[in-house]
Amino acid sequence: MTSSTLLDGNQLAKTLREGMKTRVASLTAAGCNPRLDVVLVGEDAASQVYVRNKVRACAEVGVASEVHRLAQGAGEAELLGLIDRLNRDERVHGILVQLPLPNHIASQKAIGAIAPGKDVDGFHLHNVGALVTGQPCFVPCTPAGVMALLDHAGVKLEGKHAVVVGRSNIVGKPVAMLLLQRGATVSICHSKTADLGAITRQADVLVVAVGKARMIDGSMVKPGAAVIDVGINRLADGKLAGDVDFQSCLGIAGYITPVPGGVGPMTVAMLIANTLSAAEQSRK
Ligand code: GUN
């Protein structure tokens, strides 16, 4: 029986936010008030919570934020017009369009309209291409948070087998790229993967981002592995559960993130870090 070390995202995010206050102070002293603008279209319940958390974290660090709410039925032209206005507004350093968007709006079109230098989510093709080719870019917030948790715990990546479950543009693909850049051998699994457990059991580092409650249990985890659970699922009883069955992995995983309190707060901390970088770069 291994004793599993908890990767406490709440604690690390708090420490990182404290550190960011000096960056905010330098910017402010130079006459630049860092600001993040968030665009929220429609009434998606989870999105409302995420946006509220982002605004609260900005306030705590001293970053200004504005939320632009558009109705569920808002047209694509209205959204693109707003993004254009924010692109041209020098007071705005970061722009985030909360996903998912209503079905009648093409997400890629909206993301592609954001000025790459203000794309603090790192979703614009300019930033995606820069990430894949190892050039400076805005790294997507959740993948950046995953890497920060692993680094903070001192988990070695070079030469290790990292298995990513999930192939989304927001998490799976970019986190796989970051792990690859750090010298891990990376496997990307997904809903069509045959015998998933046979692959996850080889993982020294296992990152799960599929959006299915408790789909990875202890029998699918290699003893001593670092298990990062990106999932956050609402159960029928109202409780939150990750994509990993936390209880059954305790004593098997060497490191494991709780849900909530693991990756979630790290995503928000990385968003603020990216906004500060955008503000700093706007002055160069
Ligand atoms: N929806 C779920 N995660 C994210 C994220 O990281 N950024 C945005 N914009 N929307 C999301």
Side-chain angles (χ1 to χ4, degrees):
M1 179 109 171
T2 321
S3 92
S4 304
T5 301
L6 205 64
L7 300 175
D8 185 342
N10 277 330
Q11 185 57 50
L12 179 56
K14 189 162 179 244
T15 306
L16 292 174
R17 287 197 305 269
E18 277 307 312
M20 288 176 210
K21 289 179 183 173
T22 52
R23 289 173 74 185
V24 173
S26 305
L27 282 162
T28 312
C32 172
N33 296 316
R35 174 170 147 184
L36 171 69
D37 280 43
V38 177
V39 180
L40 179 57
V41 186
E43 307 293 335
D44 183 78
S47 290
Q48 309 272 348
V49 176
Y50 295 149
V51 168
R52 202 182 316 138
N53 289 341
K54 289 168 186 177
V55 166
R56 190 185 301 145
C58 279
E60 192 206 307
V61 177
V63 169
S65 62
E66 287 276 338
V67 181
H68 306 265
R69 294 172 193 277
L70 300 189
Q72 174 75 24
E76 203 170 80
E78 188 183 347
L79 174 59
L80 296 178
L82 171 60
I83 293 170
D84 181 52
R85 185 162 66 73
L86 299 176
N87 283 340
R88 287 188 282 106
D89 188 336
E90 285 182 4
R91 297 167 303 171
V92 176
H93 303 105
I95 302 172
L96 179 149
V97 176
Q98 186 65 30
L99 302 178
L101 290 171
N103 288 334
H104 66 277
I105 299 179
S107 301
Q108 277 305 332
K109 209 163 166 184
I111 292 164
I114 300 171
K118 295 190 179 187
D119 170 37
V120 287
D121 257 329
F123 293 166
H124 190 287
L125 294 184
H126 176 96
N127 284 312
V128 175
L131 178 72
V132 172
T133 53
Q135 295 167 76
C137 62
F138 288 115
V139 176
C141 306
T142 301
V146 169
M147 300 306 286
L149 275 171
L150 289 168
D151 285 340
H152 181 72
V155 174
K156 297 278 174 284
L157 298 171
E158 197 172 290
K160 302 295 181 185
H161 190 184
V163 174
V164 177
V165 188
R167 53 175 155 175
S168 71
N169 292 333
I170 294 183
V171 185
K173 287 182 208 168
V175 84
M177 283 299 135
L178 294 171
L179 291 161
L180 183 63
Q181 267 166 24
R182 296 286 298 277
T185 300
V186 182
S187 301
I188 306 177
C189 302
H190 46 79
S191 56
K192 305 288 190 292
T193 297
D195 200 356
L196 179 63
I199 301 172
T200 60
R201 272 189 292 276
Q202 297 172 30
D204 301 303
V205 176
L206 180 60
V207 180
V208 190
V210 280
K212 261 179 117 169
R214 296 175 183 156
M215 71 165 293
I216 301 291
D217 66 28
S219 74
M220 301 167 82
V221 171
K222 178 177 174 175
V227 179
I228 309 288
D229 187 354
V230 180
I232 182 148
N233 308 283
R234 183 75 62 184
L235 301 176
D237 64 5
K239 293 201 178 117
L240 293 176
D243 291 349
V244 173
D245 182 5
F246 183 85
Q247 285 303 331
S248 77
C249 293
L250 279 182
I252 299 170
Y255 303 85
I256 188 164
T257 55
V259 174
V263 175
M266 293 299 296
T267 295
V268 182
M270 295 299 137
L271 172 65
I272 299 172
N274 280 351
T275 303
L276 293 177
S277 298
E280 287 156 0
Q281 282 160 31
S282 77
R283 305 184 48 72
K284 288 188 183 140

